[in-house]
Amino acid sequence: GAVVSQHPSWVICKSGTSVKIECRSLDFQATTMFWYRQFPKQSLMLMATSNEGSKATYEQGVEKDKFLINHASLTLSTLTVTSAHPEDSSFYICSARDSRGRSSYEQYFGPGTRLTVT
Amino acid sequence: ILNVEQSPQSLHVQEGDSTNFTCSFPSSNFYALHWYRWETAKSPEALFVMTLNGDEKKKGRISATLNTKEGYSYLYIKGSQPEDSATYLCAFGNAGNMLTFGGGTRLMVKP
């Protein structure tokens, strides 16, 4: 149980285009999902908290107009990188918290998406 | 900005060796400390969530201790096996369940 999927796992896009990344909780409901980014040789950094049915909460320094987050259902959150540029190339990974509270502390992670912008 | 640090950054051990690594975190406003195991091309797998000072948790050959007063946690692996090769991440969790990660310890176990 507690499986989170991400799609796509790897994407290459041209500068100026937009890319959508999906994060799904497969066997549980998640009112809260989190989006992280990891640059080479750095830690996972929280970008935003995605709340089902409401606006996402962005961390300081993360542009909400560039990284659009939609959490329209209890099992799906999407991150859209708009007008992507090479500096947006990174590893994006999501996590989800089980709403039914197997443990209020635990987060379950997806496998991540490698984005390369050329 | 929370400072969560892990050491060492990487570690090479022989099969059968026991090993341990450290996670240090702020000792104030402690809520939870998470350990994850992350193999390449897979999802990070939750190992432990620790909330109480003095907590010790064990899962097979892996165990962890927690000292919230001095702000550190140790992860121990007894009798390392090649399949233990992975990056081990710790994360400081706040009351809102937001995680601040350390840089990870990359463990490589040679057969």
Side-chain angles (χ1 to χ4, degrees):
Chain A
V3 178
V4 176
S5 70
Q6 270 185 252
H7 179 80
S9 55
W10 187 39
V11 57
I12 301 173
C13 70
K14 292 192 175 181
S15 190
T17 61
S18 295
V19 175
K20 182 187 281 188
I21 302 169
E22 292 186 349
C23 176
R24 290 182 187 272
S25 55
L26 297 186
D27 52 358
F28 65 99
Q29 293 182 331
T31 53
T32 305
M33 292 184 173
F34 302 89
W35 286 97
Y36 297 83
R37 179 170 56 184
Q38 185 183 38
F39 291 110
K41 299 188 179 180
Q42 293 188 24
S43 309
L44 290 174
M45 296 291 291
L46 180 65
M47 297 175 67
T49 303
S50 171
N51 301 298
E52 187 265 335
S54 64
K55 290 183 180 179
T57 306
Y58 290 82
E59 295 301 299
Q60 194 173 8
V62 178
E63 298 174 60
K64 62 179 181 181
D65 295 329
K66 181 162 188 65
F67 298 100
L68 299 179
I69 291 172
N70 185 283
H71 192 156
S73 79
L74 287 171
T75 59
L76 174 64
S77 175
T78 61
L79 169 70
T80 302
V81 183
T82 62
S83 187
H85 290 283
E87 57 266 28
D88 299 322
S89 299
S90 188
F91 184 76
Y92 294 86
I93 190 167
C94 70
S95 70
R97 192 169 65 186
D98 189 338
S99 302
R100 292 161 304 177
R102 298 173 205 223
S103 163
S104 61
Y105 303 104
E106 287 196 40
Q107 290 183 29
Y108 304 99
F109 280 82
T113 297
R114 173 76 58 192
L115 170 63
T116 302
V117 184
T118 60
Chain B
I1 297 176
L2 292 175
N3 199 22
V4 180
E5 294 187 349
Q6 290 185 249
S7 64
Q9 281 190 333
S10 65
L11 194 54
H12 294 249
V13 302
Q14 287 294 134
E15 182 175 356
D17 287 351
S18 292
T19 186
N20 65 86
F21 15 96
T22 307
C23 173
S24 62
F25 52 86
S27 54
S28 59
N29 299 316
F30 178 82
Y31 193 74
L33 194 282
H34 300 242
W35 281 101
Y36 286 89
R37 179 173 176 274
W38 195 6
E39 290 183 74
T40 304
K42 294 186 178 179
S43 303
E45 173 199 353
L47 290 174
F48 306 113
V49 181
M50 308 176 81
T51 57
L52 298 174
N53 184 43
D55 242 358
E56 290 189 29
K57 295 211 171 181
K58 189 174 180 183
K59 189 175 183 178
R61 293 178 291 99
I62 306 176
S63 60
T65 61
L66 179 68
N67 183 323
T68 61
K69 294 185 178 179
E70 296 183 39
Y72 65 83
S73 175
Y74 294 135
L75 189 80
Y76 301 91
I77 302 178
K78 186 178 177 182
S80 302
Q81 299 296 308
E83 56 265 32
D84 295 329
S85 298
T87 296
Y88 291 83
L89 297 171
C90 73
F92 180 92
N94 67 11
N97 213 233
M98 290 186 286
L99 300 181
T100 302
F101 281 87
T105 293
R106 189 175 175 199
L107 174 67
M108 282 154 281
V109 183
K110 298 177 187 175

